[in-house]
Every structure is written in C-alpha cells, then in structure tokens.
Amino acid sequence: MATSDSEVDVVIVGGGFAGVTAARELSARGRRAVLVEARDRLGGRTWTKDHDGHAMELGGTWVHPLQPHVWAEVDRYGVETETFPVLEGLRQAVVSDGRVVDLSDEDAARAMEAFDEFCAPGATLFPEPFLETLSADPQGLGDLSLRDQLETFKAEPALRDWVEGMCSLIAFGPLDQSGASEVARCYVLGGYSAEQAMASLSATKLVKGTRELINSIAGQATLADIRLNSPVRRVAQTDGGVRVELESGETVSAPTALIALPMNVLNSVEFEPPLSQVKRTASEERHAGAGRKCYVRVKGDIGNVSIAAPEAQAVNYVVTYDHGPEGSWLVVFSAIPEKLQMAAFDDVQGMQAALQPLLPGVEVESIVGWDWANDPHALGTWCTFRPGQLTKVLPDLRTTEGRLFFAGADSASVWRGFIDGAIESGYRSARDIDTYLS
Ligand SMILES: Cc1cc2nc3c(=O)[nH]c(=O)nc-3n(C[C@H](O)[C@H](O)[C@H](O)COP(=O)(O)OP(=O)(O)OC[C@H]3O[C@@H](n4cnc5c(N)ncnc54)[C@H](O)[C@@H]3O)c2cc1C
C-alpha cells in the first residue's frame, strides 16, 4: 500500500526479519509504517536462492523449537520444516594433528560430552537465559576470548579439536576476537546441554526456505508501505518528528523511526543528532562474525558427511547438502575467509585446496554463496560479540534515542544473532513504539 507522509506513524529502516516483524506487529496495532529497504528483496541476512533445483539458503538457515519466537512464526504460518543434515548414514569426522579422524557414534558422543564440559561455565553466567538477563556477566566470561578459554581446556586431542571446530563454527570469526560468552550462551539456551545447543543451531531448516517465512510475515503487514531499492542515507530528528532521507533524494517523515539495521552498518547512515558514542564505537569496531558460508559442488557421491576442523584450517566445518552419483553439494563454513586464499569468491581451485585436509582428493566444480562480510548492507554475518561487547555494547544498542527506536538480531536479548532474535526484537520494538505513540 502507498502512504503519504502525513499518515505515517513510523519509518522502518531495514527489511530483515526484525524490520518486517515490526511492520506486521505495528499493523496489528493500527499503526501505519513506511519500510525502506536498500536491497531489491526482503530478508537481509537471510536469502533463499534457487539454484540447481534447490532452495539454497545463502544466509540464515536453521531454526528450532527451542527458539520460541521463530518457532511461533513457523507454527503460525504452517511453514514446513525438515531435518538437515540428514542423520541417516552420517559420517562424522574431525581434522586432528593434520589427518582426518573418523568418529564412531561412541566417539561422537564423547566429543559432545567434551563440549558440554567446555560450555559448563555458562551455567552460572546466564542463570535465567530466557529473561532479559543476557547482558549480565558477573564472572567476566564475556571479557575472555574463546581462544583464552580453549587454552585452558583439556581433552584428548581429537575431541579437543572437534570442540575448537565447533567454537569456530559458532563464532564464525577469529577465536581470539570472539567472546567466550558467545558459545556459553548457546549452551545455556539449549537447556544447559551442548547436544541440544547444537541441535538448535543446526538441525532443522525450512523446506521452501526462509523467504516463505519472511513473505508470510510481510503479507500481514497490511498497514505498511514496503519500499525496496530504497537505501537510506541520513536520518534526522526534528522538533516534530524524524526525517529519513534516501540516497535517491526522496524523504519520508513520521513521528518516529525504527532503525532495524545490522550493528556493523549503523555508521554507514548519517544520524542527526549523532547516535550515542557506544553505538558508533560498536559499529566501527564491528562484531566478530565475518566468516564465509558457501555451497560447493563436488564430483561424485561424497555421502552424508559432517566434518569439523580447528581454527588452523581454512575450512572449519563441512556438511553434505545433497549427494548422488552425478555429484554432491556441500555446505562449507570458513570462520576466517582470508585463510581460504581464494583469488575470487568462486575460485574453484582455491576452494579445492582448502577442502583437501577435510576431504582428501575432493574435486570442486562450482561455488555458490554470498560474501556477507563485504556486503555493504551487512558488513558481517551473525552477531558474535568481541570480548567485552556483551556488557559494554548490548544494553546501549537497544536503547531508544529521542524518537529513534532500535531493533535487530544483533541486539536481541535471548537468541542474539539468530533469526529468532530478529523476530523477538521486532515484537519488542513495535510494542514500545505503540506505547510511545499512545
Ligand atoms: C551466512 C549466515 C548464516 C546464518 N545462519 C543462521 C542460521 O542458521 N540460523 C539463524 O537463526 N540465523 C542465522 N544467521 C543469522 C541471521 O540470518 C541474522 O541474525 C538475522 O537474519 C538478522 O536479521 P535482522 O533483521 O536483524 O538484520 P538483517 O537481516 O541484516 O536486516 C537488516 C536490513 O537492513 C537493510 N539495510 C542495510 N543498510 C540499509 C540502508 N542504508 N538503508 C535501508 N536498508 C538498509 C539490509 O539490506 C537488510 O535487509 C546467519 C547469517 C548469515 C550471514
């Protein structure tokens, strides 16, 4: 629906899950919004792309019943889910001491026990994880890096390397730049269980892709005028409201605005008056999530594999997406993409070299993915706080400034960094804006 400025209650900047959920929730409260999104699609850091007969998720993928906000949406719209990776016949392995060590079911269970032990300090860090307490950190675990924590962690080498691989996968950035709290909180949110945490992070996906879910939510944002291809340049608070200026020169004004941008891109928009020093510093230093996820087509039937590797490897996790005699699709995760030594994103030879330690002899045919860390509208992947950011940044990231409200997965209180967190923040901000306008 098209809306003239005088009728608009709120301008929403950013059309990821946070902004779109807020638009729907505001519609339900009778509030009119204009949502301005820089890209030619909704979904932000989620992006379902059709390729080779698959609905491939280039960004956010996995959801889980332990993630209450996204699961409520899955139920609400009857969105079909499926198990991924397929567990039947799954070969699990880890790269340890330069070779691939296969893990029997018993080994895999022991690796999970080791991970439980590693995560256990989280139990006292977040005593009430589903309440708004995830920025409290009396033990200072958030000031330690995951590398600091790993250095004191003892387990037999292959199990320790598997735990390190999982840490790299969860942080998706350098371990010495990722807060120890980031893995601990997943453990806590998984019901103080490493196994449940891993299931929450990587067991269930949407059959038709995240786009089905975001389109369902957007479809009920009946009072929102959604404008794609509308990058915002400047947001100015005036005496009577907020004026949002687009790069095209157009402006949209309203009594309030919701800034639903990734933390890392806040500084690419000019704010008048400037945002708080904490928000500006956080956006400048960025969170640590800057890894690379891509789909890699390889020759032959690789079977169902799930292989982890410690940080020293360029690839830290690989899992089969689809396989058959004509070839297989793998999903490849690299926490530090610079280690891939790939001349370009689709450098087949570079990827083939990086995969050898995990899958010796593998032959790469093609690569599909997206470089989120260099995407100007994301500048990173999911939010992994650096040591210290949990307590110093999180409370302020969520704090209203004048007529500006803030939402996003990066500042969620429960599943921060996840689709669930984006939806949670959309609910919260819509409620707060409605109260403010009442
Ligand atoms: C590779 C990858 C894998 C992931 N895997 C998972 C997973 O398996 N499960 C999970 O739960 N989460 C996962 N995530 C994280 C999850 O996708 C994000 O945390 C969540 O989608 C963020 O939602 P958001 O609305 O807060 O932000 P975003 O989705 O980033 O939305 C912000 C929007 O703002 C727009 N924008 C930016 N600048 C401007 C501007 N100047 N003007 C107007 N609009 C602008 C952007 O284009 C974007 O659409 C993954 C993320 C990545 C990148």
Side-chain angles (χ1 to χ4, degrees):
M1 61 166 295
T3 318
S4 76
D5 274 15
S6 59
E7 298 172 314
V8 182
D9 294 309
V10 51
V11 186
I12 301 174
V13 181
F17 269 94
V20 172
T21 302
R24 183 197 63 192
E25 295 300 299
L26 285 160
S27 292
R29 289 171 153 86
R31 301 292 181 188
R32 292 181 179 274
V34 170
L35 185 155
V36 278
E37 164 54 48
R39 302 177 200 268
D40 61 0
R41 60 173 182 84
L42 294 175
R45 281 171 281 172
T46 61
W47 185 10
T48 314
K49 194 175 169 91
D50 293 315
H51 186 81
D52 195 25
H54 298 282
M56 291 181 175
E57 297 288 8
L58 305 191
T61 306
W62 282 294
V63 296
H64 194 269
L66 279 175
Q67 298 175 335
H69 305 92
V70 69
W71 204 257
E73 300 295 339
V74 165
D75 265 347
R76 176 175 183 154
Y77 296 109
V79 171
E80 199 186 340
T81 61
E82 65 186 352
T83 301
F84 168 63
V86 174
L87 298 177
E88 208 179 313
L90 184 69
R91 174 188 162 221
Q92 298 199 64
V94 60
V95 177
S96 185
D97 200 17
R99 63 196 178 91
V100 184
V101 178
D102 274 27
L103 301 173
S104 64
D105 287 351
E106 197 185 303
D107 294 335
R110 288 194 307 123
M112 200 60 87
E113 276 169 27
F115 199 28
D116 248 319
E117 202 182 307
F118 177 79
C119 294
T124 48
L125 173 65
F126 303 123
E128 293 184 286
F130 285 93
L131 300 178
E132 295 204 0
T133 52
L134 289 194
S135 64
D137 184 11
Q139 299 167 71
L141 196 58
D143 294 333
L144 280 182
S145 70
L146 277 166
R147 173 58 65 206
D148 293 333
Q149 197 190 351
L150 276 163
E151 252 151 37
T152 58
F153 178 62
K154 303 266 182 293
E156 64 186 77
L159 304 189
R160 195 206 159 281
D161 286 336
W162 187 84
V163 169
E164 181 167 321
M166 290 303 108
C167 287
S168 286
L169 178 63
I170 293 172
F172 222 36
L175 294 173
D176 63 350
Q177 293 173 36
S178 306
S181 52
E182 299 301 272
V183 168
R185 78 196 173 94
C186 293
Y187 162 80
V188 171
L189 290 168
Y192 305 98
S193 152
E195 190 168 3
Q196 283 302 313
M198 290 315 293
S200 310
L201 266 48
S202 55
T204 311
K205 68 186 265 296
L206 307 182
V207 173
K208 293 186 188 150
T210 49
R211 79 179 151 205
E212 185 187 13
L213 188 58
I214 195 132
N215 288 340
S216 300
I217 299 173
Q220 289 194 315
T222 47
L223 296 183
D225 172 5
I226 295 177
R227 301 181 189 174
L228 302 178
N229 301 305
S230 301
V232 168
R233 188 183 69 77
R234 186 166 183 268
V235 175
Q237 297 197 56
T238 60
D239 286 345
V242 182
R243 193 177 63 251
V244 173
E245 301 173 11
L246 307 188
E247 276 175 16
S248 63
E250 288 168 79
T251 63
V252 193
S253 298
T256 59
L258 173 64
I259 310 303
L261 297 173
M263 160 181 152
N264 288 1
V265 306
L266 280 177
N267 282 356
S268 60
V269 172
E270 183 188 336
F271 287 90
E272 181 56 42
L275 293 182
S276 73
Q277 188 61 53
V278 174
K279 285 191 183 73
R280 282 182 285 149
T281 304
S283 183
E284 195 181 331
E285 68 183 14
R286 300 187 184 180
H287 60 70
R292 184 170 299 176
K293 167 191 177 182
C294 50
Y295 290 73
V296 177
R297 175 81 181 176
V298 299
K299 282 191 183 159
D301 191 344
I302 292 289
N304 249 347
V305 301
S306 162
I307 307 175
E311 188 177 53
Q313 298 296 334
V315 170
N316 306 105
Y317 185 61
V318 59
V319 63
T320 303
Y321 186 66
D322 185 47
H323 68 102
E326 330 71 50
S328 307
W329 277 106
L330 306 173
V331 193
V332 172
F333 293 83
S334 169
I336 308 179
E338 296 72 32
K339 289 193 176 175
L340 289 167
Q341 297 192 328
M342 287 166 65
F345 194 91
D346 57 357
D347 173 1
V348 164
Q349 292 305 322
M351 178 55 78
Q352 182 162 304
L355 278 172
Q356 294 308 308
L358 291 84
L359 288 164
V362 75
E363 290 180 74
V364 173
E365 293 182 327
S366 62
I367 301 169
V368 179
W370 190 249
D371 188 358
W372 295 102
N374 290 305
D375 173 332
H377 303 308
L379 295 179
T381 54
W382 56 83
C383 174
T384 294
F385 276 153
R386 295 173 186 278
Q389 285 185 330
L390 177 69
T391 48
K392 294 187 189 78
V393 168
L394 182 56
D396 186 90
L397 264 191
R398 305 153 54 89
T399 301
T400 304
E401 298 193 22
R403 294 171 176 271
L404 302 187
F405 292 76
F406 295 86
D410 305 354
S411 61
S413 56
V414 183
W415 284 98
R416 175 172 43 78
F418 294 82
I419 298 167
D420 185 87
I423 294 170
E424 172 217 300
S425 76
Y427 294 168
R428 170 181 48 81
S429 56
R431 194 182 62 219
D432 291 350
I433 290 169
D434 186 45
T435 305
Y436 175 84
L437 291 172
S438 298

